Amino acid sequence: MLDTVYVHIRHMNFWFGEYGLCDKSCNDEITIYSDANRTNKMGCFDILTHISLAYLYNNELDLEEDYDYKKEIEGFLRGDSQVVYDYIYPRDDESLLYQVNHFAPLNKNNHKPTYIYMWTKLSDELDINEIKKCVKILVKEFFFEDVSNVQFLDNPTYDETKNAYDEIIDIFKDEKER
């Protein structure tokens, strides 16, 4: 039985929002481990809030090229489900090597997904508590475990986060001036 899982948030944008340097994130990639030393990676997931999906739907997807995907997003946004999953399945022989090694639904070719997205209406934005809530749901859904503790790995300090944020802002300023 698993009591604690460990989570690494893969991008600094989450921490920028967590420390109040910008708006909180609406989309974060996470990796879940069963140990603090990262010797047992359980899985990688991308968590998208309904706000993120609405933005994607309205601003980034093409009506014709992304028609089916837009319909999926629209169905979720208009539907009653609070959480759904979207899957990327292998597209060629090489990507078969990247199928998840935990439980996940098989496609018509009996392949597991290579990546899993969690779409959520549980919150408009993501913070520490929302990530913990989502991780507990993911662990229950894909690993059949009820965990009571979610610990974060590699939490940057405020100063580290601020320095990284300032570096990015400087890069954007330099690019704008060109």
Side-chain angles (χ1 to χ4, degrees):
M1 179 158 169
L2 199 56
D3 180 58
T4 302
V5 293
Y6 301 84
V7 175
H8 171 71
I9 297 175
R10 296 171 60 186
H11 301 287
M12 283 297 288
N13 290 350
F14 173 82
W15 298 106
F16 297 160
E18 188 66 19
Y19 284 118
L21 301 171
C22 64
D23 291 339
K24 290 196 178 196
S25 176
C26 295
N27 174 7
D28 285 296
E29 291 179 85
I30 63 167
T31 305
I32 303 173
Y33 298 90
S34 65
D35 64 317
N37 296 324
R38 298 181 196 198
T39 56
N40 184 25
K41 179 171 86 171
M42 296 173 66
C44 298
F45 301 90
D46 200 344
I47 304 169
L48 294 93
T49 68
H50 61 104
I51 301 296
S52 175
L53 289 164
Y55 181 85
L56 180 66
Y57 181 90
N58 291 319
N59 299 292
E60 295 187 16
L61 297 178
D62 181 81
L63 182 59
E64 291 177 21
E65 187 177 315
D66 302 308
Y67 180 80
D68 292 336
Y69 193 51
K70 282 189 83 151
K71 283 300 204 189
E72 285 181 56
I73 292 172
E74 185 178 333
F76 172 67
L77 294 174
R78 291 186 177 183
D80 294 331
S81 297
Q82 294 297 297
V83 172
V84 300
Y85 303 98
D86 186 52
Y87 306 97
I88 295 178
Y89 287 95
R91 295 186 176 122
D92 54 36
D93 287 342
E94 184 180 331
S95 62
L96 289 172
L97 301 171
Y98 301 103
Q99 294 176 82
V100 299
N101 59 6
H102 53 77
F103 167 78
L106 302 175
N107 68 2
K108 65 184 177 195
N109 298 320
N110 270 349
H111 297 142
K112 288 184 175 185
T114 57
Y115 204 78
I116 300 172
Y117 296 90
M118 176 187 202
W119 296 354
T120 176
K121 293 179 189 171
L122 299 174
S123 178
D124 291 348
E125 56 193 16
L126 299 169
D127 60 16
I128 291 283
N129 290 326
E130 288 303 316
I131 294 284
K132 284 182 179 182
K133 185 187 313 180
C134 290
V135 166
K136 288 178 180 181
I137 293 168
L138 289 165
V139 170
K140 177 73 172 169
E141 180 74 22
F142 294 100
F143 304 98
F144 309 108
E145 295 277 356
D146 289 312
V147 294
S148 53
N149 299 308
V150 175
Q151 300 292 321
F152 289 85
L153 300 171
D154 304 321
N155 298 14
T157 65
Y158 174 82
D159 289 338
E160 291 168 333
T161 305
K162 178 76 166 102
N163 288 339
Y165 181 79
D166 289 344
E167 284 178 26
I168 290 172
I169 295 300
D170 288 343
I171 290 170
F172 282 125
K173 282 182 190 175
D174 289 345
E175 287 179 4
K176 238 182 176 180
E177 290 173 0
R178 287 185 205 168

